[in-house]
Amino acid sequence: MNLDALIRRAAQMPPPQLEQVRARRAVHEIQREYARRLAEGPEITTDVDLRDPYATEVDDVVRISRAAQLAKTGVVVWDARRHHLDWSGEMSILLGYAPGERQPSGWRLLSHLHEDDRDATLKQVIDAWRQGTAVELTFRIVRANNTIYAHSLVEILTTADGSPYGLIATTRDATRLELARQERDRITRRNRTIEVSHISHDAETGLLDASPFADELDRAHRAGTGALLVITAPPLTRTQNSGEHDGHDRDVAAAIAATITKIARPADICGRLGPHEYGVVMPYAPLDVARPVADEILDGLRNRWFMAGAVRLDAYGGLVRYDHRVPITTTDLLIDAETAWRQATRTDQPLYVLTDTPSAEQRHETVRARVRAAVAGDRFTLHAQPILDLNLNQVVRHEILLRTLDNAGDPHPPTALLSLAEHVDEIIAVDRWVVANAMRLIGQTPQTTHYQLNLSGRSLADPGMLGHIRDAIARHSVNPEQITFEITETALAANLTEARKLVNGLRELGCQIALDDFGTGYTSLAYLKYLPVDLLKIDGDFIRDLPNSAADQEIVRTIVDLCRTLGIRTAAEYVQDDAALTLLRQYGVDFAQGYHIGRPQPVATRRHRNPYVDLSLQVVSVPTGETAEQSPRRQTETPRSSADHHRKAV
């Protein structure tokens, strides 16, 4: 059948009665507009036939009612001249009655409209009355035992001169269609708010961060055999003025990453594990295949100058083999590879291949000795990062952060060491070092600001930690009301009973409690109900891309509203630009922290001044700061690891 035949056949088929009525309404609109234009005076030239093609002697109400009855659609008719309202038997059924069971009335009809839909529905009907136009509505009808969605076409009845005198509404059950539409809308919203990927990459090198690298290593280990190479590549030489130049160090890190990825095989997985430390997973590579690749990478790092002759690297590597038939954790594999590169440095050979896997006790004892040596040798230092009060627009707090010192005395984030310390149950000694030295430094200042310190999960269960804190506060004459201890929700999940004892004890001393990294650990709102939390720190995962993520915006807004109701103050971490700061102020967040506010700096005492941060700092306005593009990688961030997922460094 061709197109002409289809058109002829369509012309021979009369439209349904409801469509005829709607067409007549459109004709009436045209006729009214034509009459109005004629009344204005100008001559109108038209080739449109203004006669109603469906006009008969049958009344509109009768026509629509008959069509609705055939379509099993409910009808409501209201005549304003007679103040009379009526509805059909089908409409009675939609309202939950048997036909004829209830006397039609306006108040009864309105009582069946859902209270949340009533005002909007009435407004649309009134607007249609004033404009003399039809309107389609979707609303909920509340019945005795349930609620349904209804779709209604409301048409205004007019006299011969176009004046409205009533209305007729044809209504049908649209529950199935409306629920389907809502589900489509929900899926659309959800797809719009789901992040494409949660895997994080190092901002300076583009390599995987430590946490996703550990996940990839775990996946490769479970899938079969292969080799793991861990490289340390600190600068051996550098220009005199480059030592503290962050931009220079970022460029060196990017050049190292480029060298590694260029030499590594296409299937190999590369990551940045920490300052000057990199990893390469070589799936399904025996040692005789992995070793030449490792040698070539180390040769490329050791035997060239980076940054136009400014830097030579003191690169060493440790190579270990993994096998899915040998039970070992990802953390232990990384420990073995690190032990191997440390052996390479001691023997001054570029690569050390660990062929004999140590026992678990040997491995743990090696790590314990390393942590104990760091504590005993004061291989740590404390930095402070400013926290902005968003209501005052002033820095009134500082978070005390731990840094480890390398062999050259340069500070670095302690992520790797802390993960290892927790893995071998030596983290309590590190926490005690932090508490003792932080209180000593705070005691040397006028204590005009507020200080925030982190406690690890293991310290929450340490029966002696509260006494250690109490003694340090008293020994250095620190005002406990100026101290807040930060505890992660992951730590709470592991030690809730002991955590409550420590938290209550700290509150009795006068200290405050902050719940850190909220939203990414073992989140339980019960913590907010049962623990005396004063401050909740929203995890940076929700802040980092806040201006561009609808999901992050809704999550942050909801958290802030909840905390405000519970009397808990809120802080946002990882603030990177003015756009995020503006949104946080709009949401009512109390504090902001991040590189855009200020970087962590060494703590100053009366004996130390610039470039150290002064813990006796008076409140000052926040500086303009850098844009997100200018800000280097935020060093207070602790990547997730298999040992301790997303616990922030103290």
Side-chain angles (χ1 to χ4, degrees):
M1 183 178 294
N2 58 30
L3 180 60
D4 291 337
L6 285 173
I7 294 175
R8 286 194 300 271
R9 183 170 180 179
Q12 295 170 0
M13 298 176 61
Q17 289 184 327
L18 279 176
E19 294 301 324
Q20 293 182 29
V21 173
R22 290 177 177 175
R24 190 177 183 194
R25 299 269 69 76
V27 170
H28 286 178
E29 289 290 334
I30 296 173
Q31 289 173 334
R32 281 196 296 270
E33 181 66 15
Y34 181 76
R36 186 182 67 80
R37 293 294 181 89
L38 280 179
E40 291 177 353
E43 181 180 355
I44 299 177
T45 302
T46 177
D47 58 358
V48 177
D49 185 358
L50 295 176
R51 293 175 301 171
D52 185 350
Y54 299 119
T56 68
E57 298 300 322
V58 182
D59 181 76
D60 280 347
V61 174
V62 176
R63 183 195 311 279
I64 295 175
S65 298
R66 287 177 180 174
Q69 185 177 13
L70 291 174
K72 294 186 177 181
T73 303
V75 177
V76 176
V77 180
W78 178 60
D79 190 331
R81 299 171 300 185
R82 298 187 295 125
H83 301 287
H84 177 72
L85 183 139
D86 196 10
W87 60 56
S88 66
E90 289 292 338
M91 192 66 202
S92 290
I93 295 174
L94 288 176
L95 296 175
Y97 307 126
E101 181 181 349
R102 290 289 190 274
Q103 179 67 31
S105 67
W107 68 266
R108 178 169 283 125
L109 182 64
L110 291 177
S111 70
H112 283 282
L113 284 179
H114 194 286
E115 61 180 357
D116 292 341
D117 302 338
R118 190 176 300 145
D119 290 344
T121 301
L122 289 176
K123 182 180 184 302
Q124 292 181 75
V125 172
I126 293 172
D127 290 344
W129 176 275
R130 291 172 176 169
Q131 298 168 13
T133 59
V135 62
E136 295 191 57
L137 307 170
T138 299
F139 48 85
R140 284 167 287 180
I141 294 177
V142 180
R143 308 196 294 195
N145 298 320
N146 64 353
T147 299
I148 66 170
Y149 283 92
H151 183 80
S152 183
L153 172 64
V154 179
E155 300 179 82
I156 307 303
L157 302 174
T158 58
T159 61
D161 62 358
S163 300
Y165 72 86
L167 60 80
I168 182 168
T170 52
T171 306
R172 58 186 173 85
D173 187 340
T175 303
R176 182 177 59 83
L177 294 176
E178 178 61 19
L179 292 179
R181 183 196 65 78
Q182 292 178 8
E183 179 64 9
R184 291 194 300 271
D185 289 348
R186 184 196 68 79
I187 292 173
T188 300
R189 291 195 307 272
R190 189 66 187 119
N191 290 338
R192 190 168 56 244
T193 56
I194 292 176
E195 301 296 337
V196 175
S197 174
H198 67 277
I199 296 178
S200 58
H201 290 76
D202 178 68
E204 297 174 5
T205 64
L207 301 179
L208 289 176
D209 274 337
S211 175
F213 179 83
D215 292 341
E216 290 297 316
L217 174 59
D218 179 65
R219 182 184 60 80
H221 176 224
R222 286 185 284 106
T225 60
L228 168 65
L229 171 66
V230 173
I231 301 166
T232 179
L236 178 65
T237 60
R238 65 168 84 197
T239 58
Q240 183 177 2
N241 296 325
S242 67
E244 299 299 324
H245 195 284
D246 288 330
H248 184 280
D249 289 343
R250 291 198 302 276
D251 292 340
V252 171
I256 292 173
T259 300
I260 293 173
T261 54
K262 181 179 179 180
I263 298 173
R265 304 176 309 164
D268 294 344
I269 303 163
C270 304
R272 188 181 189 186
L273 308 183
H276 312 314
E277 193 171 36
Y278 303 83
V280 181
V281 178
M282 306 182 202
Y284 305 107
L287 287 179
D288 59 346
V289 173
R291 180 160 191 163
V293 177
D295 286 335
E296 186 178 356
I297 291 175
L298 289 167
D299 184 69
L301 296 177
R302 292 170 66 90
N303 297 324
R304 60 169 290 193
W305 288 87
F306 287 82
M307 306 309 300
V311 177
R312 284 286 300 273
L313 298 177
D314 193 22
Y316 294 90
L319 186 66
V320 299
R321 179 163 168 72
Y322 61 80
D323 190 323
H324 67 96
R325 294 165 294 188
V326 179
I328 187 173
T329 67
T330 301
T331 300
D332 286 341
L333 276 174
L334 291 168
I335 290 174
D336 288 349
E338 182 179 343
T339 300
W341 73 248
R342 289 181 183 276
Q343 181 64 22
T345 61
R346 283 192 292 269
T347 58
D348 196 24
Q349 52 181 312
L351 179 68
Y352 185 88
V353 181
L354 190 66
T355 55
D356 297 326
T357 303
S359 67
E361 184 56 36
Q362 290 174 327
R363 182 184 297 113
H364 287 193
E365 191 55 42
T366 299
V367 176
R368 288 191 192 102
R370 192 184 309 162
V371 175
R372 290 168 183 167
V375 174
D378 281 338
R379 302 298 299 169
F380 303 122
T381 187
L382 294 178
H383 284 205
Q385 185 172 28
I387 300 174
L388 177 69
D389 186 316
L390 293 180
N391 296 310
L392 302 177
N393 197 37
Q394 295 175 328
V395 173
V396 297
R397 292 176 174 234
H398 289 84
E399 181 174 0
I400 307 299
L401 300 166
L402 182 67
R403 292 291 182 263
T404 56
L405 299 175
D406 62 18
N407 292 333
D410 294 330
H412 300 287
T415 306
L417 180 67
L418 293 181
S419 296
L420 294 177
E422 289 203 345
H423 188 64
V424 298
D425 293 329
E426 287 292 332
I427 191 64
I428 293 176
V430 178
D431 279 356
R432 291 191 173 214
W433 187 97
V434 170
V435 170
N437 285 274
M439 296 304 170
R440 175 179 58 81
L441 292 173
I442 293 171
Q444 295 174 5
T445 71
Q447 301 183 41
T448 56
T449 186
H450 196 95
Y451 317 93
Q452 298 183 192
L453 289 81
N454 289 260
L455 287 177
S456 69
R458 299 298 176 93
S459 291
L460 299 183
D462 177 18
M465 182 56 69
L466 181 60
H468 179 75
I469 294 173
R470 183 188 296 110
D471 293 344
I473 287 176
R475 184 183 310 116
H476 300 290
S477 301
V478 173
N479 179 8
E481 295 180 355
Q482 296 292 101
I483 304 295
T484 291
F485 284 96
E486 298 186 13
I487 302 170
T488 65
E489 53 181 330
T490 303
L492 289 176
N495 307 279
L496 183 56
T497 301
E498 295 298 328
R500 292 182 65 175
K501 295 179 181 178
L502 179 61
V503 165
N504 290 334
L506 292 173
R507 289 293 298 271
E508 290 176 2
L509 286 178
C511 303
Q512 294 187 12
I513 303 299
L515 188 57
D516 198 10
D517 296 341
F518 186 81
T520 58
Y522 302 103
T523 304
S524 173
L525 296 180
Y527 300 150
L528 306 183
K529 181 177 179 181
Y530 294 112
L531 292 176
V533 175
D534 301 287
L535 176 69
L536 185 145
K537 300 189 74 174
I538 304 170
D539 189 81
D541 194 46
F542 303 114
I543 306 299
R544 195 178 292 108
D545 194 39
L546 184 66
N548 306 312
S549 171
D552 289 342
Q553 292 171 17
E554 290 300 324
I555 290 171
V556 171
R557 186 186 294 112
T558 300
I559 291 174
V560 173
D561 290 343
L562 173 63
C563 288
R564 184 184 298 113
T565 302
L566 297 177
I568 299 173
R569 306 179 84 178
T570 51
E573 301 180 288
Y574 301 85
V575 178
Q576 300 186 37
D577 50 41
D578 283 330
L581 208 57
T582 299
L583 286 174
L584 294 172
R585 283 196 172 99
Q586 292 175 2
Y587 299 158
V589 175
D590 296 293
F591 301 102
Q593 180 179 358
Y595 259 52
H596 190 61
I597 308 303
R599 303 182 187 183
Q601 296 290 342
V603 173
T605 66
R606 291 191 177 94
R607 297 188 301 274
H608 301 95
R609 291 303 170 196
N610 292 332
Y612 299 85
V613 64
D614 191 348
L615 280 186
S616 63
L617 188 69
Q618 301 292 329
V619 291
V620 295
S621 297
V622 64
T624 303
E626 302 165 304
T627 64
E629 291 77 11
Q630 294 171 321
S631 296
R633 185 173 181 236
R634 186 178 186 271
Q635 294 184 351
T636 54
E637 178 178 359
T638 298
R640 293 188 178 100
S641 68
S642 59
D644 189 355
H645 288 272
H646 206 57
R647 190 184 71 78
K648 186 176 173 184
V650 268

